[in-house]
Amino acid sequence: MQVGEQAAGAAARRRKRDREATRRRILDAARDLFGEHGYDGVTVRMIAAHAEANTALVHRYFGSKAALFGEVLAGESVIRGVIAGDPGGLPRRLAEHFVRQVDQRSVTAMSRMLDRSAGHPEVKEILLRYLEDVIVEPMVAQLEGPDARARALLASTIIMGGGPVRRLVGLGDLRAADPADLTDRLTAMFTAALAPSVHRET
């Protein structure tokens, strides 16, 4: 390889690292600002300044504030990893995930983002796509038998319902419950939600 080709290759690698680092800074800045101010209280200019980038780069890498919010949301979520794995163990994994979320003493970046942004119309659209792409469709892929989507949606209501309960009532009573018992109960709930329907003859 010629010296010039080596230099060009090294420069290309540096540019790629710089792009990845800038993209990461923008995501981190957006997560912090959305969590602090909510979707309405944040502008692309604020995110760019916080990330030490310019607004053109934010638009180039993410397209829009809404798309950036969606990418932050997907990046902060761990549910995709919980769903992946042995289909037979899915109800238990979902139950354990739910209990971990209940036991979370500090408010996560995702919780703050959702608490302060959920009412915005653009955010509702993002949450619908998130529900489909990150929760429902991966669960459907794990299920066999009829009505897989309906069963996945039923399980999703258990997963997503924890947020409103936390915001309106608090989780003190659930945290006081025995975690093993709570996990067993939730496993039974997820098992029932995800199981194929048993049609009774009349």
Side-chain angles (χ1 to χ4, degrees), residues 10-23:
R13 288 192 293 274
R14 280 196 302 274
R15 286 194 297 273
K16 183 178 179 183
R17 286 197 299 272
D18 290 345
R19 284 196 300 270
E20 290 171 350
T22 301
R23 196 174 186 281

Side-chain angles (χ1 to χ4, degrees), residues 99 102-105 170-182:
V99 172
V102 166
D103 198 47
Q104 186 82 44
R105 298 293 168 172
L171 298 178
D173 291 317
L174 289 179
R175 287 186 180 131
D178 176 51
D181 180 63
L182 193 57

Side-chain angles (χ1 to χ4, degrees), residues 81-165:
V82 171
I83 294 170
D86 170 39
L90 179 58
R92 189 73 179 184
R93 291 197 303 276
L94 291 173
E96 290 169 347
H97 170 71
F98 194 105
V99 172
R100 284 194 298 271
Q101 297 298 107
V102 166
D103 198 47
Q104 186 82 44
R105 298 293 168 172
S106 59
V107 179
T108 64
M110 176 178 278
S111 295
R112 287 196 303 271
M113 281 176 56
L114 294 177
D115 287 349
R116 295 171 184 175
S117 308
H120 193 282
E122 286 184 4
V123 173
K124 288 180 180 178
E125 291 296 321
I126 294 165
L127 288 175
L128 282 173
R129 290 196 298 273
Y130 169 81
L131 179 64
E132 282 288 338
D133 297 343
V134 179
I135 300 179
V136 176
E137 288 304 322
M139 273 201 285
V140 168
Q142 292 267 31
L143 301 178
E144 295 181 353
D147 304 320
R149 179 175 168 78
R151 290 147 53 199
L153 282 169
L154 185 56
S156 299
T157 64
I158 304 171
I159 298 168
M160 300 296 285
V165 170

